[in-house]
Each structure stands twice: as structure tokens, then as C-alpha cells.
Amino acid sequence: MKKTLTEQYFDFSQLDSEKFIKATKETLYMTAISMFFVIIIGLLLGLLLYYLGKSKDNKTAKVFYNVISVVSNICRSVPFIILIILLIPITKSLIGSFLGPKAAILPLVISAAPFFARLVEMAFREVDSGVLEASDAMGANRLQVIFKVLIPESMPALISGATVTTITMIGFTAMAGAISAGGLGDLAYREGFTGNKPTVTLFATIGILIIVFIIQGIGDFAVKRTDKR
């Protein structure tokens, strides 16, 4: 007898709570570790792009800016699933395997760091030039300008950019599941789709959505708390 859609998608006998919890932890692990590196690399790269962009009259700065921009655009433009495959030899040499959550971190960082760096650059460019000129007039050095003016003044935009990047990262972890990277994406594809268990696919999707909503909520709250306007 053919099952109805309700029976197919809400057959709770298909669910294994231990596997679901393990997959959720793997998704959170990949996202958290990758975002740690993405934020550090993205901030440094965005800061470099910002200062090189301000010095475009300098030919050397212009060349470096263009080179970094091209590399950044290439990394952002390559589809994530293809990037994972391209990086398999490097991942295997570094990790010892191209399977599992740890193996997914390298392609996740390489794909997301340039994206976040562009958001950082745009956030710094939105800082009021009058504030920067005032800090220069008061004799602030480069580090003081960065840590006491640029970053604090652009904090809402930086948090918003980090939130968007984190949510994008969660989507990437789901795609990484197609090549056994683990996480909810892997559970949805291998156990749900390949194993013909629609309930598993549905609840893995719901799990991803819940994580996204929580991160978006935290990000929105943090933006409101740091926005001085």
C-alpha cells in the first residue's frame, strides 16, 4: 500500500536520535572552527584591502590591491562543491583524509574568508572620514586608529557581516555532506535521500533552519547593542 506524504515525512521510526545529535554537533563544530579562522583571516585581509584601496595613487599599492582582489574574487566565485574536490589532494596531505568534519574546514575557510574580507573592507569604508581625520589630528598611530576608531565605529557592520558569513557557512557545511564531510547535510543526503528516509531529510533540514534562525537572532541582537545611532 502506497504511503501518503504525511506518512512518508513523519515516519518517526526512521529517526535515530544519536545520529541526529552527532550530525548536529558536527555541523556546529565545522561552523565554529571555520568561522574562527574566517574572522581572523577576513579581518586582516579586509584591513589590508582597505588601506591598499586608500593608497591607490601608489602604483605598488594598486598592484597589490588588484592581485588580492583577483585572488579573492576567484575564491568566492568557485562553486563550493568544486572547491572541495579541487582541494582534496591538499586536504589529504594536511589532515590525512578528505572525509569527515575536520577535512571540510580548509575548503570552508578558503571559500568564506575572501567573502568576509570584502564585507570588512566595505564596513571600514563606511566609517566617517571626519572621525578618522580627528584621530590623525590628535596624533593617533596606525594601531590606535585600527583598534580605537576603525573597528569600534564599524562594529555593527562587522557583526552583521559575520552573521551573514556564518549562515553562508552553514549552507556550505550542508553541501560538504555530499562528499561525506559529516553534519546534518551528510545525514540528509546519505541516510535520508540515499537511504530513502524522507523523515530524516526533513528533520535534518529543520535542524539546519533552527541553527540559522538562532545565529541570525544573536547577530541581530548584537548589532542593535553595538549600534550607536
Side-chain angles (χ1 to χ4, degrees), residues 8-221:
Q8 289 182 54
Y9 283 102
F10 293 93
D11 180 2
F12 294 104
S13 64
Q14 297 177 8
L15 291 174
D16 185 326
S17 59
E18 288 186 8
K19 287 182 179 179
F20 189 84
I21 292 170
K22 180 174 180 288
T24 302
K25 287 180 179 178
E26 287 173 343
T27 294
L28 294 174
Y29 169 81
M30 286 187 283
T31 303
I33 300 298
S34 300
M35 278 307 300
F36 173 78
F37 291 107
V38 165
I39 288 173
I40 293 174
I41 296 169
L43 277 172
L44 293 174
L45 194 56
L47 190 63
L48 182 61
L49 286 168
Y50 169 74
Y51 276 111
L52 288 175
K54 286 181 66 177
S55 308
K56 278 190 175 180
D57 292 338
N58 183 316
K59 289 185 178 180
T60 304
K62 187 176 181 180
V63 169
F64 275 109
Y65 182 87
N66 290 335
V67 169
I68 294 172
S69 293
V70 169
V71 173
S72 174
N73 290 336
I74 289 172
C75 291
R76 289 190 302 149
S77 301
V78 177
F80 181 67
I81 195 72
I82 296 175
L83 183 64
I84 292 179
I85 296 169
L86 286 173
L87 291 174
I88 282 177
I90 299 173
T91 304
K92 284 183 71 175
S93 66
L94 292 175
I95 309 296
S97 171
F98 65 91
L99 304 175
K102 288 183 180 179
I105 290 173
L106 178 63
L108 283 169
V109 172
I110 290 176
S111 64
F115 173 73
F116 183 59
R118 283 297 190 185
L119 296 178
V120 170
E121 181 191 8
M122 288 189 288
F124 288 160
R125 285 186 176 184
E126 290 174 3
V127 175
D128 189 352
S129 59
V131 178
L132 294 171
E133 290 170 4
S135 63
D136 288 335
M138 294 172 66
N141 59 37
R142 183 65 60 84
L143 284 177
Q144 288 173 327
V145 171
I146 292 170
F147 289 105
K148 293 186 178 181
V149 180
L150 270 180
I151 293 178
E153 289 294 323
S154 59
M155 188 58 72
L158 291 176
I159 293 173
S160 180
T163 303
V164 171
T165 307
T166 304
I167 291 171
T168 302
M169 185 77 76
I170 292 170
F172 285 165
T173 65
M175 283 189 278
I179 60 164
S180 300
L184 290 168
D186 183 69
L187 184 71
Y189 178 73
R190 299 204 172 273
E191 180 132 352
F193 176 71
T194 308
N196 194 27
K197 296 179 179 179
T199 304
V200 174
T201 302
L202 175 64
F203 278 83
T205 304
I206 292 172
I208 291 172
L209 288 174
I210 290 172
I211 294 171
V212 168
F213 289 147
I214 290 172
I215 290 172
Q216 186 66 63
I218 294 171
D220 290 343
F221 175 76

